[in-house]
Amino acid sequence: MQRLITAIFLVTVALGWSSVLAQTVPEERPKIGLVLSGGGAKGFAHIGAIKVLVEAGVPIDYVGGTSMGGIMGGLFALGYHPDSLEKIMKEQDWESVLSDKIQRRNLSMTEKDEDDKYFFSLPFHDKRITLPRGLVAGQSIYNLISYYASPGCNIHSFDQLHIPFLCVAADIETGESVTLDQGYLPDALRATMAIPSVFPPVLVDGRLLVDGGLFNNYPVEEVLEKGADIIIGVDVTQKPQSKDDLNSIIDILGQSTRFLRMPLQRKNIEKTDIYIRPDLDEYSMSSFTSADSIILRGERATRAALPEILALLDSLRQHHDMTPHYVLDAVPVDSILISEVVIKGTHHMSSATVAKVLQVEELEKHSTRKVIRSLERLYGTQNFNLIRYRFEPTEHQGQRLRVELNEKEGGEFRLGVHYDTDFKAAFLMNMTFRNVLTSGGKLMFDLALGDNNRFAATYLYHRGNKPGVGVRLSAQNFKTYLYENKRRIGTFNFSNALFDIYSQATVADFTLVGGGIQMEFSGVKPDVFLIDLETSYEYNTNLFAFLRIDNLNRATYPTKGLRLAADFKLVSETKDSLDNYVPPTTFLAVRYNQAYTLHPQLSMLTSAYVGSQLSGGSNTLPQYNMYLGGLRETQFNGIFPFVGLEFMQVAAENTLAARIDLQYEFYRNFFLIPKWNMGFYAGDMKDVFVKHRAINGYGLSLGVRTPIGPIEVTVMSSDHHHRLLGYFNLGYNF
């Protein structure tokens, strides 16, 4: 306060003398700089502060910020009104943006089957598992920043923005603080908030940059050097925590960095004329879901400082025009004429393949959102660590789209965990190598260990909408029960090994077709039975075809979209080890799921399952029978889930089933789901509705989405046996 009074006095005296000595020479008014600190989600408070300053008519001449303060300050300097900033921040799904979760719609069809199987992933390079530069790549936040910073895509000097702007980053190689006031604005904004260990560093003009808050979280001195005479500062920096609050490694690391920058922070606070510190102690850097209340806290703190601000303005208005010179009407660029597409950084994938995925034609106008969606689709191929892009002016009309790719090297080591009542515990290890042998070639190894073991090795050369080639070797075994007249009569172990050679192609963004030849070995070993059965096994050769359609918005608890999986097989005739003849069999299995949004918190999932042996004799292979029961979703032959039945409880040559789930999200990520289904079965498809009466099953599930997958508890029953059953699921299906 004393510094502010002194500043007002000196300004008044200087202006008075200048009017006496040089009345014909107009004095340039003192320049006002706005400084916004970093603080993660607490930086939303800057929006409330800016809103009050704009309402008060404060003519801001310079803006400087760090981290989230740099993001807010950069967009404000670009010409975004605080009301627009508030809307932008509130409408984001911050959980998805900050986790860098690829939207399922942007995953290629070959990647959707891998979606939501793993909770942990590490790079594999030079024959060893390595650690990434950051927990998340930051592609989603980069796309978000690039879209909203698009009005400044052709501005090189940040002095040319509506309000001259700078942000601060840190050179992680040299340990220097770096002031960014020119270059490509999205790169600068992304660099200033590259939190070490969370996001990887950003390469800007040859320097490896991280979050500026590492050294300088409140860049007052830099704004003064730009030419500001008066500083209004909004500081949302975390206060030092007490020993009782230092309960995690994150708390300890945060406290350590705060102490390192504290001397500079104190000096910069002393140089601040109007210092605004919102009361945000109850919030953390990760409180992104509290945008409303954090913005309000910033507004309240700035209104409390309004008497000081207005006093300063009144003193300056005596001799100067204090009308703000900036215009706050910025909106993202709607469409861009792209005259040229330049692709850099390809080593394994060819530029032609990248261009084919992008589908951004030259010499055509494209919406900015469409271009970003195309880049998200390219990122969804999982071949890149990060995709950077920029629009550059050309000598002629239109813009050059420059795409800079950072390709993945080596492979990925991924882990998944799962438990359910039907298949018990399993631990999944996966190794995936991309661009093997040729561009687009993917090699995968899966090993699931637990009560039921499974192994698969797959090589797929995918060519998009052109036929590609795949080879797959897989083996599995699982233990299950055999039922007769609603009574369990025994247990058996089923095992099989498959070798597939196939071709497939993506005929639309979310449609995949293919087919091939399969060599199969299968065996059934009785375990405990009420009747005498012998172990049997057989070899056979199959022809198969498949159709996959999938545009569900998420793999678990979807709210919109559909998924269709149709499998057809022609199974060759064979003799099993007991000399039983099995005639040729044609097999069809169809699984259909459709999700509808009924209300923001209520959605409906309808499902239909069809399984049929279209032809065959009285003696069939057990793995090509149709089975109803359990809640585990599996793609194995004709095993279909059915609420209220035990796993594989009802068996027949032909089955039909339909199901309705109502998903009520009563609290974020918590679901209450009533389920009902009806099923029919028979030895012949023409008798499926008349041979046996319909089975009705019903249940109620309580589920929650967690980082390791869904956790779900179900209570269910059916009119087939009238017993109450329980089902428990932990983790993603695989």
Side-chain angles (χ1 to χ4, degrees):
M1 186 66 180
Q2 183 178 0
R3 174 177 165 80
L4 176 62
I5 294 172
T6 303
I8 293 174
F9 175 75
L10 292 175
V11 168
T12 304
V13 171
L15 293 174
W17 275 104
S18 65
S19 63
V20 172
L21 298 176
Q23 294 184 12
T24 59
V25 181
E27 262 320 294
E28 185 179 357
R29 72 166 174 82
K31 302 296 184 182
I32 299 175
L34 175 64
V35 177
L36 308 174
S37 80
K42 293 185 177 186
F44 289 150
H46 296 316
I47 298 174
I50 294 170
K51 182 185 296 187
V52 175
L53 295 176
V54 169
E55 288 176 0
V58 178
I60 298 170
D61 301 288
Y62 301 98
V63 178
T66 300
S67 196
M68 187 60 88
I71 301 291
M72 298 302 169
L75 295 179
F76 174 54
L78 194 55
Y80 280 93
H81 194 278
D83 290 342
S84 298
L85 291 178
E86 183 173 3
K87 182 181 177 183
I88 290 169
M89 298 306 148
K90 285 181 180 179
E91 68 185 11
Q92 303 308 317
D93 180 358
W94 288 105
E95 181 181 342
S96 176
V97 169
L98 295 173
S99 67
D100 222 28
K101 176 71 175 174
I102 301 174
Q103 294 295 316
R104 203 165 185 275
R105 67 173 182 267
N106 295 320
L107 289 170
S108 65
M109 283 296 295
T110 58
E111 298 294 338
K112 283 183 178 178
D113 282 345
E114 301 299 303
D115 185 40
D116 282 346
K117 280 187 180 180
Y118 315 102
F119 70 91
F120 185 72
S121 176
L122 285 174
F124 185 85
H125 191 53
D126 292 334
K127 299 180 181 180
R128 68 179 189 275
I129 296 174
T130 60
L131 293 175
R133 285 183 166 185
L135 293 176
V136 294
Q139 185 69 47
S140 295
I141 196 71
Y142 183 86
N143 291 345
L144 185 68
I145 290 171
S146 295
Y147 176 67
Y148 287 106
S150 57
C153 64
N154 292 152
I155 295 175
H156 180 75
S157 172
F158 302 164
D159 288 344
Q160 296 173 1
L161 300 178
H162 284 271
I163 306 172
F165 167 73
L166 65 85
C167 59
V168 176
D171 189 322
I172 197 64
E173 181 182 18
T174 65
E176 298 174 333
S177 182
V178 179
T179 300
L180 299 171
D181 58 4
Q182 60 181 5
Y184 191 59
L185 183 61
D187 284 348
L189 297 181
R190 173 65 183 82
T192 191
M193 64 154 296
I195 304 169
S197 76
V198 177
F199 297 112
V202 179
L203 191 65
V204 178
D205 296 332
R207 306 187 77 166
L208 204 59
L209 304 182
V210 297
D211 193 312
L214 191 64
F215 302 134
N216 184 359
N217 203 44
Y218 185 57
V220 171
E221 185 63 41
E222 287 74 11
V223 176
L224 289 171
E225 289 176 359
K226 268 290 184 182
D229 302 294
I230 299 167
I231 297 293
I232 299 174
V234 185
D235 187 5
V236 297
T237 307
Q238 174 75 47
K239 293 179 181 177
Q241 295 173 275
S242 68
K243 61 179 181 294
D244 295 331
D245 296 326
L246 296 171
N247 299 316
S248 70
I249 187 172
I250 301 298
D251 295 333
I252 298 296
L253 289 173
Q255 188 90 318
S256 301
T257 58
R258 277 192 290 276
F259 283 133
L260 288 174
R261 62 176 179 251
M262 193 172 290
L264 178 60
Q265 184 90 356
R266 287 171 178 160
K267 288 181 181 178
N268 283 332
I269 291 173
E270 291 173 1
K271 295 175 182 178
T272 303
D273 298 287
I274 297 177
Y275 181 67
I276 301 168
R277 187 174 182 86
D279 179 13
L280 299 170
D281 290 345
E282 63 188 270
Y283 302 99
S284 70
M285 292 180 61
S286 58
S287 299
F288 285 92
T289 57
S290 302
D292 277 336
S293 53
I294 293 175
I295 291 171
L296 184 59
R297 295 291 180 96
E299 185 176 343
R300 285 175 180 171
T302 310
R303 291 199 187 283
L306 208 51
E308 298 176 67
I309 297 170
L310 294 177
L312 174 63
L313 293 180
D314 288 342
S315 67
L316 294 174
R317 283 195 183 101
Q318 296 178 24
H319 303 280
H320 298 289
D321 178 11
M322 299 301 293
T323 304
H325 64 280
Y326 47 79
V327 178
L328 301 178
D329 59 358
V331 293
V333 174
D334 180 54
S335 64
I336 295 177
L337 173 61
I338 296 179
S339 57
E340 183 182 1
V341 178
V342 176
I343 298 169
K344 298 291 185 181
T346 54
H347 302 291
H348 302 291
M349 286 189 75
S350 66
S351 296
T353 301
V354 172
K356 193 172 184 180
V357 176
L358 281 177
Q359 298 178 358
V360 177
E361 300 296 331
E362 296 181 345
L363 300 177
E364 288 187 12
K365 271 197 170 186
H366 298 273
S367 74
T368 311
R369 284 193 180 276
K370 180 198 169 187
V371 172
I372 292 177
R373 281 197 300 269
S374 297
L375 292 159
E376 288 172 341
R377 187 169 59 245
L378 180 62
Y379 187 65
T381 64
Q382 306 273 43
N383 285 294
F384 307 99
N385 294 311
L386 185 70
I387 299 174
R388 295 169 67 181
Y389 55 93
R390 64 176 62 189
F391 297 108
E392 302 172 336
T394 61
E395 296 178 359
H396 308 289
Q397 200 175 18
Q399 299 280 319
R400 176 185 300 111
L401 172 61
R402 178 179 294 273
V403 181
E404 298 177 358
L405 305 170
N406 183 341
E407 284 188 324
K408 288 182 178 178
E409 299 287 344
E412 292 175 274
F413 175 70
R414 300 183 286 188
L415 296 176
V417 64
H418 182 83
Y419 175 88
D420 67 55
T421 305
D422 297 335
F423 264 53
K424 309 306 179 188
F427 185 73
L428 177 64
M429 292 178 285
N430 169 271
M431 290 291 299
T432 298
F433 302 89
R434 303 178 191 279
N435 298 307
V436 177
L437 300 181
T438 185
S439 173
K442 183 169 72 170
L443 179 64
M444 293 190 299
F445 299 95
D446 285 302
L447 179 62
L449 299 175
D451 294 79
N452 299 287
N453 299 320
R454 189 169 76 251
F455 168 79
T458 306
Y459 178 80
L460 174 63
Y461 172 43
H462 187 62
R463 302 175 64 212
N465 57 3
K466 294 183 179 179
V469 178
V471 179
R472 178 180 172 88
L473 175 65
S474 61
Q476 68 173 330
N477 74 279
F478 63 85
K479 183 177 181 179
T480 189
Y481 301 104
L482 186 66
Y483 297 84
E484 186 177 85
N485 297 323
K486 306 178 186 179
R487 185 172 65 114
R488 184 182 296 175
I489 63 172
T491 62
F492 64 88
N493 288 291
F494 172 78
S495 60
N496 80 333
L498 303 172
F499 179 69
D500 301 340
I501 301 175
Y502 59 97
S503 178
Q504 67 177 41
T506 302
V507 297
D509 284 346
F510 49 86
T511 303
L512 185 72
V513 296
I517 187 169
Q518 178 181 81
M519 285 162 277
E520 178 180 24
F521 166 80
S522 300
V524 176
K525 180 180 179 181
D527 189 2
V528 178
F529 268 81
L530 299 180
I531 57 177
D532 290 332
L533 290 175
E534 296 184 57
T535 299
S536 67
Y537 56 86
E538 71 279 329
Y539 301 90
N540 49 282
T541 303
N542 311 321
L543 297 176
F544 66 92
F546 58 86
L547 168 67
R548 301 285 185 268
I549 301 175
D550 189 344
N551 68 347
L552 289 178
N553 62 332
R554 54 195 188 206
T556 56
Y557 306 122
T559 58
K560 59 183 177 180
L562 68 88
R563 176 166 53 197
L564 173 70
D567 293 277
F568 174 84
K569 277 188 184 181
L570 176 60
V571 183
S572 66
E573 64 179 2
T574 186
K575 271 190 178 182
D576 65 20
S577 59
L578 302 178
D579 241 12
N580 295 314
Y581 173 74
V582 181
T585 304
T586 51
F587 165 89
L588 175 68
V590 179
R591 297 167 172 85
Y592 176 78
N593 310 104
Q594 177 89 50
Y596 306 88
T597 300
L598 305 178
H599 181 271
Q601 292 175 271
L602 182 65
S603 56
M604 180 173 67
L605 182 65
T606 59
S607 305
Y609 303 95
V610 180
S612 178
Q613 291 187 13
L614 300 175
S615 65
S618 58
N619 190 22
T620 60
L621 297 174
Q623 66 267 33
Y624 291 109
N625 275 335
M626 310 302 155
Y627 299 92
L628 296 176
L631 288 183
R632 181 182 176 90
E633 292 279 354
T634 174
Q635 294 295 320
F636 182 71
N637 289 351
I639 300 177
F640 303 120
F642 198 92
V643 180
L645 295 180
E646 295 189 72
F647 183 57
M648 296 175 63
Q649 184 172 359
V650 172
E653 287 81 2
N654 297 275
T655 59
L656 291 173
R659 175 169 146 190
I660 296 177
D661 294 3
L662 286 177
Q663 297 177 164
Y664 175 54
E665 190 171 8
F666 62 91
Y667 187 73
R668 185 176 176 84
N669 291 325
F670 283 81
F671 298 85
L672 190 65
I673 311 171
K675 305 170 185 280
W676 171 82
N677 52 202
M678 175 183 287
F680 303 87
Y681 63 100
D684 195 309
M685 182 57 84
K686 69 179 182 344
D687 299 327
V688 75
F689 293 111
V690 296
K691 184 72 172 178
H692 304 279
R693 68 178 179 85
I695 303 173
N696 288 275
Y698 35 84
L700 182 66
S701 298
L702 177 64
V704 56
R705 275 202 313 232
T706 75
I708 63 170
I711 299 175
E712 192 167 287
V713 178
T714 301
V715 178
M716 58 185 181
S717 186
S718 77
D719 58 10
H720 187 68
H721 52 63
H722 301 289
R723 289 186 291 114
L724 194 64
L725 303 177
Y727 183 85
F728 177 74
N729 178 88
L730 167 67
Y732 301 115
N733 273 330
F734 51 75

